[in-house]
Amino acid sequence: MYQKIRWRQPVMLLLVTGLFWLLLDAAEVRAAVTEGLSLCTRSVIPSLFPFLAVSALLMSLGFGEWLSGPLSGLMALYRIGGAGASALLLGLVGGYPVGARTAASLVSDGVLSKEEGERLLTFCNNSNPAFLITVLGLGVFGSVRTGMWLWLIHILSALLTGLLLARRPRRTKSAARRPAPSMPPFRMVRFSSAFVAAVQSALQSMAGICAFVVFFYVLALPLRRIGGTAATVLAGMLELFSATPRLTNDAAGFVMAAGLAGWGGVSVHCQTMAVLGDSGLPAAPCVVGKAVQGLLSSLMAALLCPWVLGA
């Protein structure tokens, strides 16, 4: 028993140290919380809440089943039913964590098997084009064209990550032999009921997402005070928005922007765990996938940088 709980002591010591820091630096922490809340109201909620509500409504109306036929060939490359394309498309348009939330819905509704859901999680959870094109492209590099290239790199790296990870055979024989569920028919639902449930679900998810954004924005405060590339990378790996103002308009900034967007940040991974809920899907495939995607995005950005930035 002692062996199993031994890890708690260093964790508790770390938490106590963090608590003292919060008390000693209360003014700066309060300012960081205010900035985090402002970030949520200015950027996170306007860009994400509508997509959460619409994606939930689409899934309730049978969007996954509708796409299962036309896109079954594409998703077969990843050994996933065609309905999984809904999570991929909504994730690429809606941003974090819409893709993971849609994948969880597909598994919970029995449209995809758990194994297919785990494969899907490796590449369906992505940043939205608004952040990559406007916040990074226009805000950091002063160019919509650069933002478009960041988005294209993001899409290509996600698809390649899926090919690298989603097609790997399962190690457990029982999981490999489990048949995929048969495709259910379109669900008979009332639009009004589905709409109300979708908005309520989006509101609940939005509250959790904003909580993680604010919390990790505060945790990244010490890193934002430190200068240098390493501090910027660490802050971005923790919370993506924290690194955005520190990115430079040069080759190094372009590579870091692509890599950090591909990784998403610890904050995004916590948001993902929250939206997976009771679906039974683990967060590990998503975290591994984002790590691979971050590396691939950095490599692609480094190769394309001389042409994109004209350096």
Side-chain angles (χ1 to χ4, degrees):
M1 178 64 69
Y2 177 74
Q3 294 291 334
K4 294 182 179 180
I5 65 174
R6 189 169 52 183
W7 61 268
R8 294 186 183 181
Q9 294 183 4
V11 171
M12 287 189 291
L13 289 175
L14 182 63
L15 291 174
V16 170
T17 302
L19 182 60
F20 275 107
W21 166 65
L22 293 175
L23 293 174
L24 294 175
D25 206 8
E28 292 294 332
V29 169
R30 181 174 180 176
V33 171
T34 302
E35 292 176 9
L37 290 172
S38 177
L39 176 65
C40 289
T41 57
R42 288 184 291 103
S43 179
V44 178
I45 296 176
S47 64
L48 192 54
F49 178 75
F51 284 100
L52 287 173
V54 173
S55 63
L57 181 59
L58 282 171
M59 299 313 297
S60 298
L61 298 178
F63 185 60
E65 295 92 329
W66 182 57
L67 289 179
S68 60
L71 296 180
S72 58
L74 171 63
M75 300 311 294
L77 296 174
Y78 302 94
R79 296 194 299 154
I80 299 171
S86 59
L88 177 61
L89 294 176
L90 292 174
L92 288 172
V93 175
Y96 299 119
V98 174
R101 186 172 183 265
T102 306
S105 177
L106 290 170
V107 173
S108 298
D109 293 340
V111 180
L112 295 181
S113 67
K114 182 180 178 182
E115 183 181 349
E116 288 177 311
E118 292 179 7
R119 293 197 193 106
L120 188 57
L121 280 178
T122 61
F123 67 104
C124 74
N125 204 30
N126 295 289
S127 181
N128 65 12
F131 175 78
L132 293 169
I133 296 173
T134 60
V135 177
L136 292 181
L138 192 59
V140 176
F141 302 98
S143 169
V144 173
R145 174 178 173 272
T146 303
M148 289 294 297
W149 273 108
L150 286 171
W151 188 38
L152 292 175
I153 289 172
H154 196 72
I155 294 174
L156 182 57
S157 63
L159 296 176
L160 289 177
T161 298
L163 290 176
L164 290 173
L165 297 180
R167 292 186 60 83
R168 291 175 59 188
R170 300 287 295 177
R171 294 182 179 179
T172 57
K173 296 182 180 179
S174 60
R177 293 176 180 174
R178 184 183 306 160
S182 58
M183 183 60 60
F186 279 99
R187 284 156 279 174
M188 300 299 294
V189 296
R190 295 179 58 186
F191 180 83
S192 58
S193 300
F195 173 75
V196 171
V199 174
Q200 289 178 335
S201 176
L203 178 60
Q204 294 174 356
S205 298
M206 200 72 254
I209 291 169
C210 288
F212 284 117
V213 169
V214 173
F215 183 78
F216 282 99
Y217 192 84
V218 172
L219 287 187
L221 178 60
L223 294 173
R224 292 198 296 272
R225 293 173 174 172
I226 303 173
T229 302
T232 300
V233 172
L234 289 175
M237 292 182 68
L238 189 64
E239 208 286 315
L240 186 57
F241 283 97
S242 298
T244 302
R246 302 174 62 91
L247 293 173
T248 54
N249 185 3
D250 54 20
F254 184 73
V255 174
M256 282 191 290
L260 291 175
W263 163 246
V266 178
S267 174
V268 165
H269 301 325
C270 289
Q271 297 168 28
T272 300
M273 287 189 285
V275 298
L276 290 180
D278 299 328
S279 65
L281 290 175
C286 186
V287 175
V288 173
K290 299 315 295 177
V292 174
Q293 185 179 353
L295 292 175
L296 290 176
S297 297
S298 298
L299 179 60
M300 292 180 192
L303 295 174
L304 294 172
C305 183
W307 187 79
V308 174
L309 298 182

